[in-house]
CSV table of all heavy atoms in Angstrom, one decimal:
chain,number,residue,atom,x,y,z
I,33,SER,N,-1.5,-0.1,-7.1
I,33,SER,CA,-2.4,1.1,-7.0
I,33,SER,C,-2.8,1.7,-8.4
I,33,SER,O,-3.4,2.8,-8.4
I,33,SER,CB,-1.8,2.2,-6.2
I,33,SER,OG,-0.5,2.5,-6.7
I,95,SER,N,-9.6,13.1,-5.1
I,95,SER,CA,-8.6,12.0,-4.8
I,95,SER,C,-9.0,11.2,-3.6
I,95,SER,O,-9.8,11.7,-2.8
I,95,SER,CB,-7.2,12.6,-4.6
I,95,SER,OG,-7.1,13.3,-3.4
I,96,GLY,N,-8.3,10.1,-3.4
I,96,GLY,CA,-8.5,9.3,-2.2
I,96,GLY,C,-8.1,10.1,-1.0
I,96,GLY,O,-8.8,10.0,0.1
I,97,VAL,N,-7.0,10.8,-1.0
I,97,VAL,CA,-6.6,11.5,0.2
I,97,VAL,C,-7.6,12.6,0.5
I,97,VAL,O,-8.0,12.7,1.7
I,97,VAL,CB,-5.2,12.2,-0.1
I,97,VAL,CG1,-4.9,13.3,0.9
I,97,VAL,CG2,-4.1,11.2,-0.2
I,100,ASN,N,-10.6,11.1,2.1
I,100,ASN,CA,-10.3,10.8,3.6
I,100,ASN,C,-10.4,12.1,4.4
I,100,ASN,O,-11.0,12.2,5.4
I,100,ASN,CB,-8.9,10.2,3.7
I,100,ASN,CG,-8.9,8.7,3.4
I,100,ASN,OD1,-10.0,8.1,3.3
I,100,ASN,ND2,-7.7,8.2,3.2
I,124,HIS,N,-1.6,4.0,5.1
I,124,HIS,CA,-1.2,5.0,4.0
I,124,HIS,C,-0.9,6.3,4.7
I,124,HIS,O,-1.3,6.6,5.8
I,124,HIS,CB,-2.5,5.2,3.1
I,124,HIS,CG,-2.2,6.1,2.0
I,124,HIS,ND1,-2.7,7.4,1.9
I,124,HIS,CD2,-1.5,5.9,0.8
I,124,HIS,CE1,-2.3,7.9,0.7
I,124,HIS,NE2,-1.5,7.0,0.1
I,126,SER,N,-1.9,9.2,4.3
I,126,SER,CA,-3.0,10.1,4.6
I,126,SER,C,-3.5,9.8,6.0
I,126,SER,O,-4.3,10.6,6.5
I,126,SER,CB,-4.1,9.9,3.6
I,126,SER,OG,-4.6,8.6,3.5
I,182,ALA,N,-6.3,0.1,4.1
I,182,ALA,CA,-4.8,0.3,4.1
I,182,ALA,C,-4.4,0.3,2.6
I,182,ALA,O,-5.2,0.1,1.7
I,182,ALA,CB,-4.1,-0.8,4.8
I,183,SER,N,-3.1,0.4,2.4
I,183,SER,CA,-2.5,0.4,1.1
I,183,SER,C,-2.0,-1.1,0.8
I,183,SER,O,-1.8,-1.4,-0.4
I,183,SER,CB,-1.3,1.3,1.0
I,183,SER,OG,-1.7,2.6,1.2
I,208,ASP,N,-11.2,2.9,4.6
I,208,ASP,CA,-10.5,3.4,3.5
I,208,ASP,C,-10.2,2.3,2.4
I,208,ASP,O,-9.3,1.5,2.6
I,208,ASP,CB,-9.1,4.0,3.9
I,208,ASP,CG,-8.4,4.6,2.8
I,208,ASP,OD1,-8.7,4.4,1.6
I,208,ASP,OD2,-7.4,5.3,3.0
I,210,ALA,N,-9.4,2.6,-0.7
I,210,ALA,CA,-8.7,3.1,-1.9
I,210,ALA,C,-8.3,2.0,-2.8
I,210,ALA,O,-8.6,2.1,-4.0
I,210,ALA,CB,-7.5,3.9,-1.4
I,211,HIS,N,-7.7,0.9,-2.3
I,211,HIS,CA,-7.2,-0.1,-3.1
I,211,HIS,C,-8.3,-1.1,-3.6
I,211,HIS,O,-8.3,-1.6,-4.7
I,211,HIS,CB,-6.1,-0.9,-2.4
I,211,HIS,CG,-4.8,-0.4,-2.7
I,211,HIS,ND1,-3.9,-1.0,-3.6
I,211,HIS,CD2,-4.1,0.7,-2.3
I,211,HIS,CE1,-2.8,-0.3,-3.7
I,211,HIS,NE2,-2.9,0.7,-2.9
I,235,SER,N,-10.3,5.6,-3.7
I,235,SER,CA,-9.8,6.1,-5.0
I,235,SER,C,-10.6,5.4,-6.1
I,235,SER,O,-11.1,4.3,-5.9
I,235,SER,CB,-8.3,5.7,-5.2
I,235,SER,OG,-7.5,6.2,-4.2
I,237,HIS,N,-9.4,4.7,-9.1
I,237,HIS,CA,-8.5,4.3,-10.2
I,237,HIS,C,-7.6,3.1,-9.8
I,237,HIS,O,-6.5,3.0,-10.4
I,237,HIS,CB,-7.7,5.5,-10.6
I,237,HIS,CG,-7.0,6.2,-9.4
I,237,HIS,ND1,-7.6,7.2,-8.7
I,237,HIS,CD2,-5.9,6.0,-8.8
I,237,HIS,CE1,-6.8,7.6,-7.7
I,237,HIS,NE2,-5.8,6.8,-7.7
I,238,LYS,N,-8.0,2.3,-8.9
I,238,LYS,CA,-7.1,1.2,-8.6
I,238,LYS,C,-7.8,-0.1,-9.0
I,238,LYS,O,-7.8,-0.4,-10.2
I,238,LYS,CB,-6.8,1.3,-7.1
I,238,LYS,CG,-6.1,2.6,-6.7
I,238,LYS,CD,-5.6,2.6,-5.3
I,238,LYS,CE,-5.3,3.9,-4.7
I,238,LYS,NZ,-4.1,4.6,-5.2
I,245,GLY,N,-9.1,9.8,-9.1
I,245,GLY,CA,-10.1,10.6,-8.3
I,245,GLY,C,-10.5,9.9,-7.0
I,245,GLY,O,-9.9,8.8,-6.7
Q,1,PLP,C1,-5.1,3.3,1.7
Q,1,PLP,C2,-5.0,4.5,0.8
Q,1,PLP,N1,-5.7,5.6,1.1
Q,1,PLP,C3,-5.6,6.7,0.3
Q,1,PLP,C4,-4.8,6.7,-0.8
Q,1,PLP,C5,-4.7,7.9,-1.6
Q,1,PLP,O1,-5.4,7.9,-2.8
Q,1,PLP,P1,-5.1,8.9,-3.9
Q,1,PLP,O2,-3.8,8.6,-4.5
Q,1,PLP,O3,-6.3,8.7,-4.8
Q,1,PLP,O4,-5.2,10.3,-3.3
Q,1,PLP,C6,-4.1,5.5,-1.2
Q,1,PLP,C7,-3.2,5.6,-2.4
Q,1,PLP,O5,-2.6,4.7,-2.8
Q,1,PLP,C8,-4.2,4.4,-0.4
Q,1,PLP,O6,-3.5,3.3,-0.6
Side-chain angles (χ1 to χ4, degrees):
S33 54
S95 71
V97 167
N100 283 343
H124 187 252
S126 59
S183 298
D208 180 349
H211 268 257
S235 303
H237 50 270
K238 301 185 197 291

